[in-house]
Amino acid sequence: MKIIVYSSKKAGSTIYDINSFNECNNKPDLELLFLEIPLDHTTFALAAGYDAVCIFVNDICNAEVLEGLAKLGVKYIALRCAGYNNVDLFAAKSLGIQVVRVPAYSPEAVAEFAVGMIMTIVRKYHKSYTRVREGNFLLDGLLGFNLKGKTIGIIGTGRIGLLTGKILSRGFESNVIAYDLYHNAQAAEYGITYTHTLEELLGKSDIVSLHCPLLPGTRYMINEKTLAQMKKGAYLVNTSRGSLIDTTALIGALKSGHLGAVGLDVYEKESAYFFADGSSKIIYDDNFARLLSFYNVFMTGHQAFLTVEALKNIAETTIDNLELLANNQPCANITEA
């Protein structure tokens, strides 16, 4: 099987994409070509002669791209991530293209990052780091609060949400509540209590952390209405998908002072900026530029997944998925509409 890998990165000696795949690929029948460019309607033609396309979170794999890939003879799409919102699964099915993903590469990586982001916006590590580097040792503006006893709401209790809640409940002695249409049987064991409604969770929480997949029912679940249901001064963290939040509504809540602070590892239009060096370029997205200007917004560039363990698991699972497909064997990670 010949596989073309879009949006691949190599960071020196760090195990990152190209390095991790090369280290984990012990399958002689899998031939990998790495490209740093993303997959979209202008680049899919590069997949001519390949059996499979391997993509990441911000690659575009809509109906137009899939139709183009199908005409080139591509039979498989391998996502090296858990989310699949960037793939038109209905179009893939109609074209006979099988889609596989990595459902759980390292829930610990994202959960630990989410807790770290909470600690950063609460205790203002980022501000104190910059201040001390400039020789300013004043503590003005660095006042935080204890997580012990605070109510933290977890929206989405899959593996990542559950682990985030566990760390906060068992490690910090926070009062962790959760909302999910499907209750996880382990939640009580981890010190997590479900609320009956999303509105109830938002109204009770001092901090809200999002851990949902991006689906039609979850797009813009944090909007003008739900932001208004949050406590005045509450904190919001998103390490899942950017489009869970309506950015225009979020900016409104920040401008009014309704939100105390926000931590974002994702942004709804991040594909134009993330995973690239834009330090010498202009940010044309006015909403994104406005978010970066708020003193109480802390942003990172879709970094939560980035650990040695997670990258190794992503590479191993993706390679195993492709090996099974190449040999026409059942694969548990096939994703269908």
Side-chain angles (χ1 to χ4, degrees):
M1 179 185 287
K2 294 180 66 178
I3 304 127
I4 186 167
V5 185
Y6 285 88
S7 297
S8 55
K9 303 294 181 184
K10 182 175 182 180
S13 60
T14 305
I15 301 175
Y16 184 27
D17 265 1
I18 298 175
N19 305 51
S20 56
F21 269 79
N22 282 334
E23 287 185 8
C24 295
N25 185 18
N26 57 0
K27 315 291 186 182
D29 55 336
L30 298 184
E31 178 185 332
L32 302 171
L33 172 68
F34 298 96
L35 299 179
E36 290 197 22
I37 59 173
L39 173 67
D40 59 27
H41 70 284
T42 67
T43 61
F44 73 81
L46 296 172
Y50 287 84
D51 306 293
V53 166
C54 183
I55 60 174
F56 199 44
V57 293
N58 288 323
D59 289 298
I60 297 172
C61 201
N62 56 22
E64 178 188 357
V65 171
L66 284 164
E67 286 172 9
L69 291 173
K71 290 177 182 177
L72 295 174
V74 172
K75 301 178 181 65
Y76 311 107
I77 302 293
L79 286 151
R80 53 186 192 276
C81 54
Y84 48 87
N85 55 280
N86 55 332
V87 180
D88 187 330
L89 295 178
F90 291 99
K93 185 175 182 179
S94 68
L95 293 165
I97 296 176
Q98 288 187 297
V99 180
V100 289
R101 65 187 180 111
V102 183
Y105 42 86
S106 178
E108 294 83 5
V110 182
E112 291 169 8
F113 191 91
V115 174
M117 182 164 271
I118 289 171
M119 291 297 295
T120 298
I121 60 176
V122 168
R123 299 305 303 271
K124 304 174 178 61
Y125 298 145
H126 56 312
K127 294 182 180 297
S128 60
Y129 172 79
T130 303
R131 188 178 294 187
V132 168
R133 294 275 293 181
E134 295 173 348
N136 181 352
F137 300 95
L138 288 174
L139 299 182
D140 298 359
L142 300 180
L143 183 65
F145 55 81
N146 293 353
L147 292 185
K148 181 177 180 179
K150 293 297 185 295
T151 298
I152 303 179
I154 303 293
I155 301 179
T157 52
R159 297 182 185 183
I160 295 170
L162 199 68
L163 284 172
T164 304
K166 179 184 179 182
I167 294 168
L168 293 164
S169 174
R170 299 305 187 211
F172 291 89
E173 297 184 36
S174 302
N175 172 35
V176 179
I177 58 178
Y179 175 75
D180 197 315
L181 293 177
Y182 306 97
H183 290 194
N184 195 310
Q186 289 182 287
E189 175 190 343
Y190 289 170
I192 302 170
T193 304
Y194 281 103
T195 61
H196 295 292
T197 64
L198 177 60
E199 183 177 0
E200 181 186 353
L201 178 140
L202 295 173
K204 289 182 176 180
S205 298
D206 301 297
I207 301 168
V208 174
S209 187
L210 305 181
H211 299 281
C212 305
L214 179 58
L215 303 168
T218 60
R219 182 178 295 273
Y220 286 176
M221 68 183 303
I222 301 300
N223 50 51
E224 186 175 359
K225 178 182 177 181
T226 51
L227 284 165
Q229 293 169 350
M230 294 177 67
K231 281 184 177 182
K232 182 173 175 56
Y235 286 23
L236 176 64
V237 168
N238 186 10
T239 53
S240 295
R241 286 291 184 267
S243 292
L244 295 177
I245 299 176
D246 180 341
T247 305
T248 302
L250 179 64
I251 290 171
L254 286 162
K255 287 173 64 178
S256 70
H258 186 68
L259 288 177
V262 174
L264 302 173
D265 186 50
V266 289
Y267 172 63
E268 61 173 311
K269 297 179 181 179
E270 67 180 56
S271 60
Y273 301 98
F274 283 17
F275 306 116
D277 181 4
S279 57
S280 61
K281 299 177 182 178
I282 294 172
I283 294 177
Y284 290 99
D285 184 333
D286 290 341
N287 278 344
F288 188 35
R290 188 62 188 270
L291 278 179
L292 292 172
S293 74
F294 285 103
Y295 78 96
N296 54 347
V297 172
F298 174 61
M299 291 195 71
T300 51
H302 209 131
Q303 181 188 340
F305 78 98
L306 195 63
T307 66
V308 171
E309 294 83 359
L311 289 172
K312 184 173 183 290
N313 290 339
I314 288 170
E316 288 179 344
T317 303
T318 302
I319 288 168
D320 287 344
N321 286 343
L322 290 166
E323 177 74 1
L324 290 170
L325 293 175
N327 294 315
N328 294 314
Q329 295 178 341
C331 178
N333 296 324
I334 289 177
T335 302
E336 296 181 335

